[in-house]
Amino acid sequence: MTMTLTADDRTAITDVINLHGHLTDSGDFDGLREVFLSDVVYDVGDLGGGVIVGLAALRDAALALGEGNPVAHHVTNIVVTEAADGRARAISKGIGVNADGTTGSVTYEDTLVRGDHGWRISHRTVRARRIPLTS
């Protein structure tokens, strides 16, 4: 059954996606409960990090990466679509700024569910952009 996303749903989903970078960059791992379900599946296999399951494991992975983490996560181009299973899907572009000034680009592919505390990401796949558009 397809649900209809309201303008309020779309705003709430966009806010959740935007909040990720603020919380991550400030090291507020407890605050990530406002973005992800506690059993989130976070797939960074394309970046060499495998599949991380759960907020505690996500925190541990970020801390283990240490200074390899970007100093800033920026998100843009968020597109939200309805899903037949009562969930929402979103794709967005991420830009990571590293301490040395280099940058990287990724695409976030998110599945979101609405619960008692609003919309949360249940699954995120991060895909690196390494090759420019070619014909």
Side-chain angles (χ1 to χ4, degrees), residues 12-124:
I13 289 167
T14 299
D15 285 350
V16 163
I17 293 168
N18 283 325
L19 185 57
H20 167 256
H22 292 285
L23 296 171
T24 299
D25 293 345
S26 67
D28 185 357
F29 297 110
D30 290 335
L32 289 176
R33 292 181 301 227
E34 297 178 42
V35 175
F36 299 108
L37 293 180
S38 62
D39 61 349
V40 63
V41 175
Y42 201 99
D43 183 349
V44 285
D46 196 41
L47 302 174
V51 177
I52 301 164
V53 179
L55 284 176
L58 190 58
R59 176 188 181 276
D60 292 347
L63 292 174
L65 194 55
E67 292 188 12
N69 283 294
V71 296
H73 293 77
H74 301 281
V75 68
T76 186
N77 300 61
I78 300 170
V79 178
V80 179
T81 57
E82 299 170 1
D85 57 4
R87 296 171 182 242
R89 307 247 191 279
I91 58 171
S92 57
K93 297 293 186 174
I95 302 165
V97 179
N98 299 309
D100 65 1
T102 60
T103 60
S105 178
V106 299
T107 299
Y108 293 122
E109 300 170 359
D110 296 329
T111 301
L112 298 101
V113 297
R114 182 176 26 205
D116 294 339
H117 299 290
W119 288 97
R120 299 293 185 268
I121 298 171
S122 63
H123 188 276
R124 170 171 274 183

